[in-house]
């Protein structure tokens, strides 16, 4: 038998270590997630309202002034009907109403998820939209607007 090491207890006198407490969410993480969760609540509230009040029925929402006065579809025309279709789970209908809006919903979901994860981890979220990205986005929106108003782009019209 080996002699005990000085300063240690023999095995008969040792006590078991207390169990580690269950991992609870850090209060700082919950606080940091408050703003992204608030934004999600606001967006969900907007979608819930549009899902409850059908934009296909006249009289609930104002008409698009550009469409009303010129007959030209703007990039947002069909956006409310698209949100209504998404709220009811009809994604094919949503794409037919406004494909650009559906792409915007998807981009928002990805950016929001990244924002939430970074907030919970305590890391800053500073998305950078360079001037080249802004110009590319503007070109995309303009191209979408022009194509949906031409005869061969009728599939993009609401």
């Amino acid at each position: 038998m080996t002699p005990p090491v000085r300063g240690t207890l023999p095995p008969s006198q040792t006590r078991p270590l207390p169990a580690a407490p269950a991992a609870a969410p850090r209060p700082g993480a919950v606080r940091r997630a408050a703003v992204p969760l608030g934004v999600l609540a606001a967006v969900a509230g907007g979608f819930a309202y549009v899902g409850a009040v059908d934009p296909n029925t006249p009289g609930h929402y104002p008409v698009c002034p550009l469409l009303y006065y010129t007959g030209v579809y703007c990039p947002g025309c069909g956006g409310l009907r698209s949100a209504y279709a998404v709220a009811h789970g009809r994604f094919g209908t949503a794409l037919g109403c406004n494909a650009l809006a559906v792409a915007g919903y998807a981009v928002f979901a990805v950016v929001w998820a990244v924002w939430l994860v970074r907030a919970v981890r305590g890391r800053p979220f500073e998305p950078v939209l360079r001037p080249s990205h802004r110009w590319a986005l503007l070109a995309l929106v303009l191209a979408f607007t022009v194509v949906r108003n031409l005869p061969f782009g009728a599939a993009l019209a609401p």
Side-chain angles (χ1 to χ4, degrees):
M1 183 167 186
T2 61
V5 179
R6 187 173 182 170
T8 61
L9 296 174
S12 61
Q13 294 180 356
T14 59
R15 288 179 265 157
L17 293 174
R26 299 183 316 239
V30 173
R31 187 175 312 141
R32 288 188 301 265
V35 174
L37 292 175
V39 169
L40 179 65
V43 170
F47 267 87
Y49 179 78
V50 172
V53 181
D54 188 1
N56 296 308
T57 319
H60 294 292
Y61 300 98
V63 296
C64 174
L66 184 66
L67 180 63
Y68 183 76
Y69 289 114
T70 65
V72 174
Y73 295 117
C74 75
C77 281
L80 283 175
R81 287 176 290 211
S82 173
Y84 179 81
V86 167
H88 289 274
R90 295 189 297 246
F91 298 106
T93 303
L95 279 170
C97 291
N98 192 325
L100 189 63
V102 174
Y105 307 151
V107 168
F108 170 79
V110 169
V111 169
W112 180 85
V114 170
W115 181 24
L116 178 67
V117 168
R118 291 183 69 86
V120 168
R121 291 182 177 173
R123 297 173 64 194
F125 178 69
E126 298 169 0
V128 177
L129 197 59
R130 293 186 175 92
S132 60
H133 296 144
R134 291 181 194 151
W135 284 108
L137 183 62
L138 179 63
L140 174 72
V141 171
L142 285 174
F144 177 76
T145 304
V146 169
V147 169
R148 79 187 313 205
N149 284 293
L150 294 174
F152 65 85
L156 295 175

